[in-house]
């Protein structure tokens, strides 16, 4: 599912025009992005938690040459699924 598909689903469920549903979805994603950029976690009860995780600098290898290289420290986004999401995915 892509963003336009999700906006269309929201429009159908909430009885909104697709353009308004797209605006709502964009606002939600923008707020999640802004919160993560401030290093705040975002928890959606039953769905999961988005959080910023730090990766330390490390040594890696170039797969083509085998030469060692330094990989800089960085931040990334992690997601931990909530209980309801896990149960939904694991239904038989």
């Amino acid at each position: 599912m892509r963003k336009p598909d999700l906006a269309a689903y929201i429009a159908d469920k909430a009885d909104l025009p697709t353009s308004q549903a797209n605006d709502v979805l964009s606002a939600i994603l923008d707020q999640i992005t802004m919160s993560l950029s401030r290093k705040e976690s975002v928890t959606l009860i039953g769905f999961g938690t988005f959080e910023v995780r730090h990766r330390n600098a490390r040594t890696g290898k170039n797969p083509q040459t085998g030469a060692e290289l330094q990989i800089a420290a960085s931040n990334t986004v992690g997601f931990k699924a909530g209980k309801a999401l896990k149960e939904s995915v694991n239904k038989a």
Side-chain angles (χ1 to χ4, degrees):
M1 179 177 276
R2 298 172 337 142
K3 185 177 175 182
D5 301 326
L6 190 54
Y9 180 79
I10 292 168
D12 183 52
K13 280 297 207 182
D15 196 28
L16 294 171
T18 305
S19 61
Q20 275 187 330
N22 193 40
D23 291 344
V24 168
L25 181 56
S26 291
I28 292 168
L29 296 176
D30 289 345
Q31 186 59 46
I32 291 172
T33 302
M34 287 190 318
S35 294
L36 291 170
S37 71
R38 292 189 304 263
K39 298 193 178 26
E40 299 171 354
S41 66
V42 177
T43 302
L44 304 172
I45 303 291
F47 183 73
T49 301
F50 296 92
E51 62 187 3
V52 176
R53 295 180 182 160
H54 180 74
R55 289 186 182 173
N56 292 326
R58 59 198 186 279
T59 303
K61 285 192 175 187
N62 182 330
Q64 292 180 329
T65 65
E68 287 190 355
L69 57 112
Q70 283 301 113
I71 301 171
S74 64
N75 291 323
T76 188
V77 176
F79 178 75
K80 182 178 178 186
K83 183 179 177 184
L85 179 60
K86 286 180 189 177
E87 289 174 356
S88 176
V89 170
N90 287 315
K91 281 186 181 177

